[in-house]
Amino acid sequence: MEKIILHYEAVEQAPLQNAPCPHLIVPSFLQGDTLEQMVGLFPEIHSGGSFAPESLDFHPSFEAFLKEFQGDRLKNIVSRKFGLNLQKAPSMLTLRGQTRDKDGQIHRDSRSKRVTLLLYMNSKEKDWSSHQGCLRFTNGPDHIEDYAVEVPPKGGTLVIFPNHPKSWHGHLPYNGPRCTIQLNYMGANWRTSLEKKRHELSAFWKRFTKKT
């Protein structure tokens, strides 16, 4: 198995942005051979929606990469950058492989999610110049064209943002492959337990239907 290289120093050096909400954009968290290898090993997902790891089959190298991504080193950096105590925050990981026309509506994440990390796992050759599928931090909940920041989902780009009253985000309608790993640092309360149970049930159902 080739060595997995995650560019933690790029997260350390990324400037903290505050408009319209606190966030970090790290264009080169994955690069080079690691990016190419992990994009190639991303599991096949043929339908929309979020998939828990338990519902998917992973190559051992990709599984090791996910374990590293969920590790304490990145969590500690995120804690320092945003001034949050995440030491005891449980993690929740999901993957998306397809985006549908109905996806991308402007929203804020559920209250159980303290911090969201989006790692884009798309081919370097993919063209996002149409702006469709590009993440936007909007200035409110009403208009996708009223945005402050746009992030093309280029392979290797990492976006990090805490749950915040102004953390509205979405994207223009897009239909097709758009691979994303979402890692959330969760609050330790009943909402987290409920969300984890929902994902566990979803994972069981998706794996069951895949076998039938």
Side-chain angles (χ1 to χ4, degrees):
M1 182 174 67
E2 296 183 23
K3 185 178 180 181
I4 298 169
I5 300 175
L6 306 185
H7 289 270
Y8 296 107
E9 64 277 7
V11 186
E12 292 271 23
Q13 296 167 8
L16 179 61
Q17 306 292 333
N18 288 300
C21 63
H23 67 275
L24 293 175
I25 301 171
V26 187
S28 56
F29 183 67
L30 285 184
Q31 55 185 282
D33 292 341
T34 299
L35 173 60
E36 186 174 346
Q37 182 190 21
M38 294 306 139
V39 167
L41 293 176
F42 194 90
E44 292 187 7
I45 300 176
H46 299 292
S47 57
S50 297
F51 286 74
E54 296 80 9
S55 65
L56 299 167
D57 296 314
F58 298 127
H59 186 281
S61 294
F62 194 83
E63 193 166 16
F65 156 65
L66 290 180
K67 183 177 180 180
E68 174 75 13
F69 182 52
Q70 296 176 84
D72 287 339
R73 185 173 178 184
L74 181 57
K75 181 186 279 189
N76 290 337
I77 295 172
V78 173
S79 296
R80 291 195 299 272
K81 294 289 283 191
F82 292 103
L84 298 171
N85 183 0
L86 300 171
Q87 184 178 5
K88 296 182 179 180
S91 297
M92 186 173 72
L93 189 84
T94 54
L95 296 89
R96 284 179 175 263
Q98 301 287 331
T99 299
R100 304 157 293 186
D101 287 333
K102 68 178 183 178
D103 296 326
Q105 300 294 318
I106 299 173
H107 67 285
R108 291 196 324 238
D109 289 337
S110 66
R111 292 169 62 187
S112 61
K113 298 174 181 177
R114 294 184 64 192
V115 182
T116 295
L117 296 85
L118 300 173
L119 178 57
Y120 294 114
M121 301 295 293
N122 302 296
S123 168
K124 293 183 293 184
E125 288 73 34
K126 177 69 177 176
D127 180 15
W128 300 98
S129 60
S130 70
H131 303 278
Q132 293 175 319
C134 296
L135 178 71
R136 290 178 175 179
F137 287 109
T138 60
N139 293 312
D142 300 319
H143 303 292
I144 194 65
E145 293 296 345
D146 180 20
Y147 65 95
V149 179
E150 181 178 78
V151 187
K154 294 179 179 178
T157 298
L158 176 65
V159 182
I160 310 172
F161 55 98
N163 207 334
H164 183 273
K166 294 185 178 181
S167 60
W168 298 103
H169 57 284
H171 59 75
L172 290 173
Y174 176 78
N175 196 318
R178 182 177 176 274
C179 298
T180 311
I181 299 171
Q182 178 168 324
L183 174 62
N184 290 105
Y185 301 139
M186 310 290 286
N189 53 37
W190 64 269
R191 290 189 181 89
T192 295
S193 299
L194 185 63
E195 187 137 359
K196 281 182 169 290
K197 288 293 184 184
R198 182 173 66 82
H199 278 274
E200 289 170 4
L201 181 60
S202 174
F204 171 80
W205 178 250
K206 286 173 179 175
R207 183 168 283 278
F208 174 78
T209 54
K210 187 165 65 172
K211 290 179 179 180
T212 57

